[in-house]
């Protein structure tokens, strides 16, 4: 028996929002993650490969007591790999946001079990640049706010270390507040097809009075995401400890064997891939918070139901008339 489609535009309490996020992933795991892997996967794989190479070298360097610094060519290679990983992971993040929210829109339109990768890809092609532009503008705005908050920190820093520390705390709190207050901006742009400033204003308006519940939802989902992601890292640490134990037993530092290095690279790559895929959870969680707040403050779902009922009534009257 096919399960009833999850109603998106609905008021939900804290527990219900958390449950529906997990339930949505459970019901749509195959089509959702198939779309994510096919569309965001290539960017994610390339970025993770480059990031794995950088991290693996960093971990090996920390385990080397001689602390031999890298030569210029190696340093340049690591820098290029670091920049490349940043670019590809950024594109993967943009693709992930676009896939999740376009999938949600198709789910609302078609229902579960009927969404193909080709349909999601067709939607993502038109929304990808919109999301990329939003990320770019959002980062610029964050930088501007950060600089604006740092100016008084530098100005009052001369008054004493304790006072400067308090200013830094205020800056961090201000950034956290803004992150949460503006967290709806991507889902608003996806669903309402409005500009960046309008979406930002809408996010601030919808979250007004509901900041703590939004923060709590993202905190709990982030905690779940972090715990599950950390599980993927356990095999890497086990292999690293085994390799380190050999050095401790001999009392002489030895380079890890090629087999150990390859195993670590594969395990670290899997960790990056799997943990990145977990980012779909907070995206869905904030989407259900958006639907909840819209229904609570604007009753959009109720209005749509009334309009649909009126259309049905008018159709019935027309049939009776003819």
């Amino acid at each position: 028996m096919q399960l009833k489609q999850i109603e998106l535009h609905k008021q939900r309490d804290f527990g219900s929002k958390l449950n529906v996020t997990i339930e949505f992933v459970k019901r749509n795991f195959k089509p959702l993650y198939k779309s994510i892997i096919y569309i965001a996967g290539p960017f994610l794989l390339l970025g993770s490969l480059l990031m794995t190479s950088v991290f693996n070298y960093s971990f090996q360097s920390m385990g080397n007591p001689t602390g031999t610094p890298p030569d210029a060519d190696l340093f340049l290679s690591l820098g290029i790999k670091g920049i490349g990983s940043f670019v590809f992971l950024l594109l993967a993040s943009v693709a992930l946001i676009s896939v999740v929210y376009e999938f949600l829109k198709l789910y609302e339109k078609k229902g579960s079990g009927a969404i193909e990768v080709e349909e999601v890809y067709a939607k993502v092609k038109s929304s990808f640049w919109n999301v990329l532009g939003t990320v770019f503008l959002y980062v610029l705005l964050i930088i501007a706010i950060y600089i604006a908050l740092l100016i008084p920190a530098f100005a009052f820093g001369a008054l004493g270390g304790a006072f400067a520390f308090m200013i830094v705390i205020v800056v961090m709190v201000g950034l956290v507040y803004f992150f949460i207050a503006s967290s709806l901006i991507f889902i608003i742009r996806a669903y309402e097809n409005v500009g960046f400033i309008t979406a930002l204003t809408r996010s601030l308006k919808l979250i007004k009075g509901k900041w703590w519940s939004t923060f709590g939802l993202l905190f709990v989902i982030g905690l779940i995401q972090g715990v599950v992601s950390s599980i993927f890292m356990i095999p890497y640490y086990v292999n690293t400890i085994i390799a380190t134990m050999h050095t401790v037993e001999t009392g002489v530092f030895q380079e890890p064997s090629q087999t150990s290095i390859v195993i670590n690279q594969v395990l670290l790559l899997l960790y990056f891939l799997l943990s990145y895929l977990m980012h779909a959870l907070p995206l869905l969680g904030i989407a259900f918070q958006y639907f909840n707040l819209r229904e609570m403050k604007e009753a959009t779902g109720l209005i749509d139901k009334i309009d649909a009922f009126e259309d049905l009534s008018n159709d019935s009257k027309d049939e009776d008339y003819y």
Side-chain angles (χ1 to χ4, degrees):
M1 184 179 69
Q2 189 174 4
L3 295 173
K4 182 181 178 182
Q5 182 180 357
I6 295 174
E7 185 178 355
L8 302 183
H9 299 272
K10 180 180 178 181
Q11 287 192 48
R12 292 180 169 93
D13 58 24
F14 183 87
S16 298
K17 284 179 287 190
L18 187 61
N19 290 335
V20 76
T21 299
I22 298 173
E23 183 65 23
F24 186 89
V25 172
K26 286 171 58 179
R27 290 195 192 183
N28 300 278
F29 185 86
K30 184 177 179 180
L32 174 60
Y33 276 95
K34 186 178 179 181
S35 299
I36 292 174
I37 291 170
Y38 272 77
I39 299 171
F43 298 125
L44 178 56
L45 180 60
L46 289 171
S48 297
L49 282 169
L50 293 171
M51 183 64 74
T52 297
S53 178
V54 174
F55 267 70
N56 195 57
Y57 175 81
S58 300
F59 280 123
Q60 287 182 39
S61 298
M62 287 189 292
N64 184 354
T66 62
T68 305
D71 57 34
D73 291 338
L74 180 57
F75 187 81
L76 178 61
S77 174
L78 289 173
I80 293 173
K81 287 178 180 178
I83 294 172
S85 67
F86 171 78
V87 171
F88 283 118
L89 291 177
L90 171 64
L91 294 176
S93 299
V94 172
L96 178 65
I97 294 170
S98 188
V99 167
V100 170
Y101 290 151
E102 292 300 336
F103 187 94
L104 263 177
K105 290 162 70 176
L106 286 169
Y107 177 87
E108 184 177 13
K109 180 180 179 181
K110 300 186 63 176
S112 59
I115 302 173
E116 300 294 335
V117 175
E118 292 78 10
E119 295 176 287
V120 180
Y121 179 68
K123 296 290 185 181
V124 168
K125 282 195 298 183
S126 60
S127 65
F128 181 88
W129 298 108
N130 184 296
V131 176
L132 181 60
T134 304
V135 170
F136 178 73
L137 293 173
Y138 191 71
V139 170
L140 287 181
L141 184 59
I142 292 294
I143 293 173
I145 292 174
Y146 182 70
I147 293 174
L149 290 173
L150 275 182
I151 291 174
F154 284 115
F156 292 107
L159 297 179
F163 194 80
F165 177 76
M166 291 176 61
I167 293 295
V168 171
I169 296 297
V170 171
V171 170
M172 299 304 296
V173 170
L175 286 175
V176 171
Y177 178 84
F178 180 77
F179 279 135
I180 302 301
S182 60
S183 58
L184 301 180
I185 192 168
F186 290 99
I187 183 65
I188 289 174
R189 292 210 70 186
Y191 253 81
E192 301 182 21
N193 195 28
V194 295
F196 179 83
I197 299 299
T198 302
L200 177 61
T201 305
R202 287 272 296 149
S203 180
L204 297 175
K205 179 182 176 182
L206 287 173
I207 290 184
K208 184 178 180 181
K210 293 295 178 180
W211 190 92
W212 282 108
S213 65
T214 306
F215 172 79
L217 179 65
L218 287 176
F219 178 80
V220 173
I221 292 179
L223 192 62
I224 295 172
Q225 177 189 356
V227 170
V228 175
S229 297
S230 65
I231 295 173
F232 303 143
M233 199 66 174
I234 292 176
Y236 176 86
Y237 285 127
V238 170
N239 186 62
T240 301
I241 291 171
I242 292 174
T244 305
M245 290 283 290
H246 182 68
T247 296
V248 172
E249 289 173 359
T250 59
V252 180
F253 175 77
Q254 296 179 344
E255 292 286 343
S257 66
Q258 192 61 38
T259 302
S260 178
I261 292 174
V262 171
I263 291 174
N264 266 0
Q265 287 179 335
V266 172
L267 293 174
L268 200 57
L269 176 62
L270 289 174
Y271 164 74
F272 278 122
L273 291 172
L274 295 173
S275 63
Y276 220 81
L277 293 176
M278 291 292 295
H279 282 76
L281 277 178
L283 290 174
L284 289 168
I286 204 64
F288 282 108
Q289 174 70 332
Y290 164 72
F291 297 134
N292 167 63
L293 294 177
R294 281 199 72 186
E295 190 63 24
M296 182 184 300
K297 297 186 176 185
E298 302 170 352
T300 52
L302 179 60
I303 292 173
D304 289 340
K305 289 178 181 179
I306 293 173
D307 290 341
F309 179 77
E310 289 178 349
D311 291 340
L312 182 63
S313 299
N314 291 334
D315 290 341
S316 299
K317 289 180 181 179
D318 291 340
E319 291 176 3
D320 293 339
Y321 177 79
Y322 287 110

